[in-house]
């Protein structure tokens, strides 16, 4: 077995094995382990960091978008409430205006009515007076025609008044 | 059996052969061998693989994603086992994992078809043992440097009743000292066993077709070849798992040194 045989003292190639192993392994350690590996690890680390940063940025952007949307929603609510209030106020005011105008028209109409009523009353009074005088004349005429007696105008008037007014 | 029927020696693949370029280092002759060649091949292949993942794009391509998959696998393992301080040891564990993985996989390449002989570097206890000793040395250095003599409290698990300490402490000490051996031995044995099994089965395939009663030999060959396909797939799995186990245990041992129990 050559592997065991080389460990015996009189073997020629043990020194060569150890020398070349140390040379080659030291070369690998220095060039690859110390030279290339840290650069590759730095690349991987940089990539991991970039991915983490990008994820954090995306998360922040998401949060900002959420805040923006919330803000927008609040503004919408506020403006909707303001609009509703304005509409209610306008309605209120319109109702009050209408009421006031109605009251005014009502008052005017009432005035006109009472004026018309007094007119009617006056007309009725004058008409009554006229009827009285006409009735008195007619009564005195009738009396004169029927009895031939002359009735004084004053007496006729009083008699008519008594009949008319009970 | 192997010697008499067609010179198929399952241990031949573990032979180290010199390829030249020898020099003297402190009284020892150091030669460039096929083992060293496959280590260099593994290092260059690993370097090319990593270089393909160095484009550093924000959105990775396929190759970069593959390389980052490996680095992320090891760094998340260090993070899970040691914590944030594990990052300091990631270069070592990553180098260890990738070197073992590439040596395992390159040794599995079917280059014998082209006349080349792949050599599995990790099938030698001298190699895996040294890697295990390096891991163990790091554990000792980090442990004593961070905790000083308090590091010995590792041998007394938290909550041990006082009368049990004389019994528990030696057991913990032995289990601690066995770590480098079990670590190195596990990888060496898994690689050696798998490759021996594949070579024995391929010997059956060849000898079966060369047998005198061809119909019987052919049945053996076809069955062995079917089995080889399955075992090759299993060996690919083992190549990954053993590299992972080596790296995982190293990270757990470093965790002991960094955080104690």
């Amino acid at each position: 077995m050559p592997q065991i045989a080389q460990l015996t003292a009189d073997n020629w190639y043990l020194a060569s094995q150890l020398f070349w192993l140390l040379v080659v392994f030291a070369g690998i350690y220095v060039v690859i382990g110390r030279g290339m590996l840290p650069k590759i690890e730095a690349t991987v680390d940089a990539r991991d960091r970039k991915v983490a940063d990008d994820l954090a940025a995306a998360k922040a952007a998401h949060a900002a978008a959420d805040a923006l949307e919330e803000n927008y929603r609040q503004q919408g609510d506020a403006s909707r409430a303001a609009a509703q209030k304005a509409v209610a106020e306008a309605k209120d005011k319109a109702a009050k205006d209408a009421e006031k105008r109605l009251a005014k028209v009502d008052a005017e109409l009432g005035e006109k009515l009472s004026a018309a009523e007094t007119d009617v009353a006056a007309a009725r009074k004058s008409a009554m007076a006229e009827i009285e005088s006409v009735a008195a004349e007619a009564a005195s005429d009738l009396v004169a025609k029927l009895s031939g007696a002359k009735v004084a105008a004053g007496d006729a008037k009083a008699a008519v008044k008594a009949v008319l007014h009970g | 059996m192997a010697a008499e029927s067609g010179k198929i020696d399952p241990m031949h693949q573990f032979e180290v052969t010199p390829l030249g370029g020898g020099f003297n280092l402190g009284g020892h002759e150091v030669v460039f061998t096929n083992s060293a060649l496959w280590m260099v091949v593994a290092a260059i292949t690993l370097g090319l693989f990593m270089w393909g993942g160095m484009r550093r794009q924000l959105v990775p391509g396929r190759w970069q994603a593959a390389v980052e998959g490996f680095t992320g696998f090891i760094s998340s393992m260090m993070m899970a086992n040691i914590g944030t301080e594990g990052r300091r040891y990631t270069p070592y564990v990553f180098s260890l994992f990738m070197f073992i993985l590439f040596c395992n996989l390159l040794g599995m390449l079917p280059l014998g078809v082209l006349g080349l002989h792949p050599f599995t570097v990790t099938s030698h206890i001298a190699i895996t043992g040294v890697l295990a000793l390096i891991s163990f040395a790091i554990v000792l250095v980090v442990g004593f440097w961070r905790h000083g003599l308090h590091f010995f409290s590792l041998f007394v698990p938290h909550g041990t009743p006082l009368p049990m300490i004389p019994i528990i402490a030696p057991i913990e000490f032995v289990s601690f000292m066995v770590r480098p051996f079990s670590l190195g031995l596990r990888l060496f044995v898994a690689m050696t066993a798998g490759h021996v099994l594949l070579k024995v089965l391929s010997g059956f395939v060849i000898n079966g077709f060369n047998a005198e009663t061809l119909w019987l030999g052919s049945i053996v060959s076809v069955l062995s070849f079917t089995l080889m396909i399955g075992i090759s797939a299993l060996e690919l799995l083992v190549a990954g798992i053993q590299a992972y186990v080596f790296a995982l245990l190293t990270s757990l041992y470093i965790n002991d040194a960094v955080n104690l129990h």
Side-chain angles (χ1 to χ4, degrees), chain B residues 115-185:
Chain B
L116 296 167
H117 289 286
F119 181 88
T120 314
V121 180
T122 43
S123 68
H124 275 241
I125 181 79
I127 305 292
T128 61
V130 167
L131 292 177
L133 282 175
I134 294 173
S135 292
F136 191 65
I138 288 174
V139 168
L140 288 183
V141 168
V142 170
F144 281 113
W145 179 62
R146 284 180 62 96
H147 303 290
L149 293 180
H150 194 62
F151 184 53
F152 285 113
S153 71
L154 193 65
F155 300 134
V156 183
H158 188 70
T160 311
L162 201 63
M164 293 294 282
I165 287 178
I167 307 168
I168 296 283
I171 295 175
E172 286 284 324
F173 179 73
V174 169
S175 85
F176 181 77
M177 294 309 286
V178 158
R179 281 174 180 182
F181 299 101
S182 65
L183 194 58
L185 214 56

Side-chain angles (χ1 to χ4, degrees), chain A residues 56-164:
Chain A
K59 209 173 266 177
H62 194 79
D66 274 358
L68 215 62
E69 199 200 328
E70 177 68 24
N71 195 1
Y72 168 78
R73 211 166 50 75
Q74 274 173 356
Q75 267 179 1
D77 282 356
S79 55
R80 195 170 306 126
Q84 267 168 357
K85 198 174 156 205
V87 166
E89 266 172 15
K91 250 189 209 161
D92 218 31
K93 196 174 160 216
K96 259 182 208 155
D97 271 5
E99 214 171 286
K100 217 182 271 170
R101 230 173 343 192
L102 216 61
K104 198 174 158 200
V105 168
D106 220 22
E108 270 171 19
L109 282 179
E111 252 168 46
K112 261 185 201 165
L113 200 65
S114 62
E117 264 169 10
T118 46
D119 277 1
V120 167
R124 200 207 218 131
K125 214 178 196 174
S126 69
M128 270 308 212
E130 243 166 78
I131 284 173
E132 266 175 37
S133 65
V134 169
E137 248 171 60
S140 58
D141 277 359
L142 277 174
V143 167
K145 265 194 191 157
L146 288 175
S147 61
K150 282 226 176 159
V151 179
D155 287 346
K157 228 172 201 169
V160 166
K161 218 172 213 170
V163 170
L164 275 177

